[in-house]
Amino acid sequence: MKKWSFLLVIVALALLQLTWPVFLIFFNCKPDFLLILIIALVFYLDFKVALAFTVLAGLIKDVFLVEPLALNTILFSIWSYSAYLLSRQISTENYYVRAAVVIIVALLNNIIIGLVIINFGTIIPAGIFLRNVFISSSYTAVLSVFIFKLVKKIAA
Amino acid sequence: MFKISRKTLIGFIIFSCTLLLISNTLSCLKKSAQNVLAPQLSFLDLLKREFSGIIFYHRNMIQAEKLNAGVGALRWQMLDLKELNQENIRLKELLNFKQKSSLFLVPARVIARSPDVWSCSVVIDKGKNSRIKIGMAVINLQGLVGRVVECTENSSKVLLINDPSQGISAVVQRSRQEGLVNGTLGTNLIMRYLPEDAQITEGDIIITSELSQFYPKGLLIGKVINIGGDFSGLNRFAQIKPAAGLSSIEEVLVVIP
């Protein structure tokens, strides 16, 4: 039952991300709740279950994007597996460590997506590229504490 | 540091193949997911607006007072303009002036925005049931907003003009200088491929050209705020401030040709 409630959490966070209020958007950047969620799921759930939810979260995000590729589904799965491998090597009990993992994953995720878009021939000014990479990733990491607490509460 | 066993590797390859298969069926998933989530998004949007109304009550009250003060003067101006408009219509009729095309507009409300920072799109609450089709131009009272790129029965996805994948054929209203307007993901747009001797200055109005594939001719895009030169030195570019406030649009009008 607890596992299935994560389905609701994914849908709720996706809806929140889609309707994130304009007055909470800083420098045209908003947090990526689904990315935080997939990292949190790896730390609190069995990996296979977490991976299944990760694919679903990626698909939901891709559905609302304009690009025809399921890029987020693929990247989310990679980040989920990487976080799983990392959690077996180092202790990830501390919130700061988890926030650090989130910021690294968010940075890599944004850099890869940005580079893929540029590779398709789209011109993005360097300043806007850097703004999206750093501010959006930092914003995501700052809000990760709340998602981790939510996931911990549901998984407990 | 990380040891990956053969079993894990095979599992990973199978998983990757499954993901690629999922990628191919994404377009089918998109339509059904948008259809399912559209009512919830509308409801959330309603809640968000109500909460914003409560949070910004004081600001809204002051704004309302200011706007009310200006309404009286504008009402008189409107009456004058109405007179002029009617006179214009009568004169056009006298000259057997046939209007080329009248735009049929469908109003829609923005119910969701792009979930990431790498694209600029919005979801609106009108779709095929309201005669909306892919490729139709979307405007608001200020100017051009974007075009419809995906369409379901009750919702549509609109790619905004500040998305970098957008390319709009445009002209300078004053000098008829042509150029290509692109989005930058930021608040401003950029007009590229302007020759060295282009007749363009700061403050010029930019409108859609008749060469545009998706947009009707003459829609207001924005105003030139800065002019610069390319790295190559062969072309110039112009920075354009869009007429429509793209970061906070709530209502739009879909142009049905």
Side-chain angles (χ1 to χ4, degrees):
Chain A
M1 180 61 199
K2 270 178 190 169
K3 279 179 193 171
W4 295 112
S5 55
F6 281 109
L7 273 178
L8 277 177
V9 175
I10 290 173
V11 175
L13 287 179
L15 290 175
L16 184 66
Q17 201 162 320
L18 286 164
T19 54
W20 191 241
V22 176
F23 60 88
L24 289 176
I25 295 174
F26 303 115
F27 302 103
N28 254 347
C29 292
K30 54 183 176 180
D32 194 340
F33 292 118
L34 292 173
L35 185 72
I36 307 169
L37 183 73
I38 62 138
I39 302 295
L41 289 175
V42 173
F43 294 143
Y44 290 109
L45 293 183
D46 177 51
F47 175 64
K48 282 176 188 168
V49 179
L51 190 64
F53 284 132
T54 298
V55 172
L56 183 75
L59 272 174
I60 288 184
K61 194 176 171 190
D62 281 320
V63 155
F64 285 95
L65 287 172
V66 183
E67 290 86 22
L69 282 172
L71 192 61
N72 283 288
T73 315
I74 296 163
L75 284 177
F76 276 14
S77 310
I78 294 168
W79 305 139
S80 182
Y81 187 61
S82 308
Y84 167 68
L85 289 179
L86 194 72
S87 69
R88 291 201 308 183
Q89 303 287 325
I90 60 163
S91 168
T92 50
E93 290 302 308
N94 194 313
Y95 273 129
Y96 294 112
V97 177
R98 288 175 181 177
V101 173
V102 170
I103 200 167
I104 291 165
V105 168
L107 278 170
L108 289 171
N109 193 58
N110 278 325
I111 289 170
I112 292 173
I113 293 175
L115 291 178
V116 168
I117 291 170
I118 290 168
N119 192 43
F120 279 141
T122 309
I123 304 165
I124 299 174
I128 287 169
F129 181 87
L130 293 174
R131 182 197 73 185
N132 280 358
V133 167
F134 290 107
I135 297 177
S136 177
S137 305
S138 310
Y139 199 4
T140 303
V142 167
L143 292 184
S144 65
V145 180
F146 303 107
I147 310 287
F148 276 121
K149 279 187 178 170
L150 176 78
V151 174
K152 190 181 178 182
K153 211 171 183 180
I154 297 169
Chain B
M1 191 181 169
F2 302 125
K3 282 183 183 173
I4 299 171
S5 66
R6 183 180 285 181
K7 197 179 157 189
T8 315
L9 195 68
I10 292 167
F12 182 74
I13 292 166
I14 294 169
F15 183 70
S16 305
C17 293
T18 318
L19 280 183
L20 283 174
L21 280 173
I22 290 172
S23 299
N24 285 335
T25 54
L26 190 69
S27 58
C28 305
L29 282 170
K30 274 184 176 186
K31 281 185 181 172
S32 43
Q34 271 186 46
N35 264 338
V36 170
L37 290 173
Q40 285 87 331
L41 284 168
S42 294
F43 179 68
L44 268 178
D45 182 58
L46 182 79
L47 276 182
K48 199 177 81 184
R49 270 186 291 129
E50 290 303 320
F51 273 113
S52 301
I54 295 165
I55 293 167
F56 297 114
Y57 175 77
H58 186 70
R59 188 196 68 182
N60 292 346
M61 196 181 71
I62 291 167
Q63 256 180 8
E65 278 172 5
K66 273 185 190 170
L67 291 171
N68 276 333
V71 163
L74 286 172
R75 209 169 267 163
W76 280 111
Q77 274 183 15
M78 225 169 78
L79 275 174
D80 278 350
L81 287 173
K82 222 174 184 177
E83 272 305 304
L84 283 172
N85 191 27
Q86 279 173 354
E87 192 185 334
N88 193 16
I89 290 167
R90 282 197 305 273
L91 288 171
K92 270 186 183 176
E93 276 172 359
L94 279 173
L95 288 166
N96 282 330
F97 226 88
K98 278 184 186 170
Q99 218 172 349
K100 243 186 175 179
S101 66
S102 55
L103 300 175
F104 179 71
L105 304 170
V106 174
R109 181 173 279 282
V110 173
I111 54 169
R113 286 165 204 282
S114 174
D116 77 348
V117 290
W118 295 105
S119 60
C120 297
S121 62
V122 292
V123 180
I124 56 171
D125 65 348
K126 295 276 168 67
K128 283 177 188 164
N129 289 346
S130 306
R131 292 169 53 196
I132 292 172
K133 286 178 191 163
I134 293 171
M136 284 179 174
V138 180
I139 58 170
N140 70 1
L141 294 177
Q142 282 83 45
L144 184 64
V145 168
R147 71 179 158 92
V148 177
V149 284
E150 276 171 34
C151 205
T152 67
E153 267 64 37
N154 291 312
S155 67
S156 308
K157 201 179 284 174
V158 177
L159 190 68
L160 301 181
I161 52 171
N162 62 341
D163 188 279
S165 60
Q166 278 269 32
I168 308 161
S169 180
V171 289
V172 180
Q173 196 179 38
R174 179 182 55 85
S175 62
R176 314 313 289 176
Q177 174 67 55
E178 289 190 346
L180 187 73
V181 173
N182 283 121
T184 58
L185 280 176
T187 45
N188 293 329
L189 312 172
I190 199 156
M191 191 174 190
R192 298 178 198 278
Y193 310 120
L194 295 168
E196 193 55 36
D197 58 346
Q199 290 185 340
I200 186 167
T201 54
E202 280 180 33
D204 271 343
I205 301 289
I206 307 297
I207 56 171
T208 51
S209 115
E210 57 192 340
L211 300 173
S212 184
Q213 190 185 352
F214 297 107
Y215 304 102
K217 176 190 164 189
L219 293 178
L220 175 64
I221 298 175
K223 203 158 88 172
V224 177
I225 52 167
N226 187 26
I227 296 162
D230 268 357
F231 286 120
S232 62
L234 298 171
N235 290 317
R236 291 165 83 196
F237 68 83
Q239 235 179 324
I240 296 159
K241 187 177 171 60
L246 298 169
S247 57
S248 57
I249 37 164
E250 288 182 354
E251 285 99 15
V252 292
L253 299 160
V254 183
V255 180
I256 296 184

